[in-house]
Amino acid sequence: MTGDVAVLGAGMHPWGKWGRSFVQYGRVAAKAALADAGLDWRDVGSVVGAETVRGGYPGYVAGATFAQALGWQGARVTSVYAACASGAQAVNAARAQILAGLADVVLVVGADAAPKGFFAPAGGDRPDDPDWLRFRILGATNPAYFALYARRRMALYGDTTDDFALVKVKNAAAGALNANARYRAPVTSAQVAASAVVADPLRLLDICATSDGAAALVLSSMEFARRHGAGNPVRIRAVSTVTPTFPRTVLDLPDIATDSAVAVEPAPESFRASIARAAYEEAGLGPTDLSLAEVYDLSTALELEWYEDIGLCAPGDGAKLVREGVTALGGGVPVNASGGLASFGEAVPAQAIAQVCELTWQLRGTAGDRQVPGARAGITANQGLFGHGSAVIAVR
């Protein structure tokens, strides 16, 4: 199913370590998005919640939890879980409902109250859970995974730790301009180099933190937007939600072994590159049409990987882009103008929704000091565990 839907409202709860319930964060973000849209909660025909599995029982029924917090009013309700891609797939569910004629206005909400330190699998002995297995068998935390990718880039392309540090410096400079970001201080390469080693070659400032936070969107049909007086809204044109293909030739957690490519020819593109390609094909756009991008900078090195996966440059040229300032504010295609996860930290169910909030503000021209001049099209890209991958393209 293809077609545009309008983004009428975008809202956030500021990110940080607030020590409150994720429901409170989501309610604040939802009310901000509704106010931005100029709509009352009772105008919403459907609510789609992106789930957190760390917030206790209410997290497993996220859509209904947020609907209850806003006041029962009989809306259709949906909950979506896709790890780090949960928010994008919640947007996809909302978009499908609108295009199918099931609802004119849909509220999308994601919120988290993340634990301090590394993410860990849910409790209990669950040997059929690949996320549990990678911790118990390999002891592989997320930073260990990020470090493997960093080492791979150093071996294949000659990337250096100085290149990785430039990503943090760039994203921290953008985050300093964003009132919703948790970290709002500029960072230097020397500060990155002086921070503690977490998983060699990555240091503390190369890796995003865990955070509390929330983001919300109000989406509608184009017809409703026109009736509501929004003649030229930001539009979501594509949402890709693809899985990997067999065989996978690059080790990727939570899998603990690669599939053999002996008998089956590998696909010509990586899983992450296929995420962006599917979105481009659906939108009828390409990398040269982009004004900006929001990608998952779970680590500095992974952001360089995304430059190549979304088609900004050839494989191996990611570091060249950051060295030349192409992906910084003021560059040819700013990446993570919001400050990215480097400035926000991870609030898993909210972060892919937050990416679309940033595209919305940028395409409206209301992003303030971090505004990308003349922004007309943007892409988000993210990857969740268990083969979830999503990208959203928004235009105006």
Side-chain angles (χ1 to χ4, degrees), residues 214-231:
L217 295 163
V218 175
L219 308 182
S220 82
S221 66
M222 293 304 298
E223 181 183 355
F224 180 93
R226 283 190 288 271
R227 291 201 310 268
H228 186 59

Side-chain angles (χ1 to χ4, degrees), residues 167 170-171 174 280 286-295 303-304 306-313 317-318 320-339 358-359 362-363 370-381 393-394:
V167 175
K170 171 185 73 70
N171 289 350
Y280 288 136
T288 58
D289 298 305
L290 295 178
S291 307
L292 74 158
E294 289 283 311
V295 304
E303 178 170 315
L304 299 181
W306 279 114
Y307 296 171
E308 299 154 16
D309 293 329
I310 65 174
L312 297 184
C313 62
D317 286 347
K320 182 172 181 287
L321 258 59
V322 76
R323 288 179 206 139
E324 295 177 348
V326 173
T327 55
L329 288 175
V333 187
V335 175
N336 288 332
S338 65
E358 179 66 14
L359 290 191
Q362 290 284 350
L363 295 174
R370 66 181 190 282
Q371 179 66 46
V372 176
R376 306 301 298 174
I379 190 171
T380 72
I393 290 179

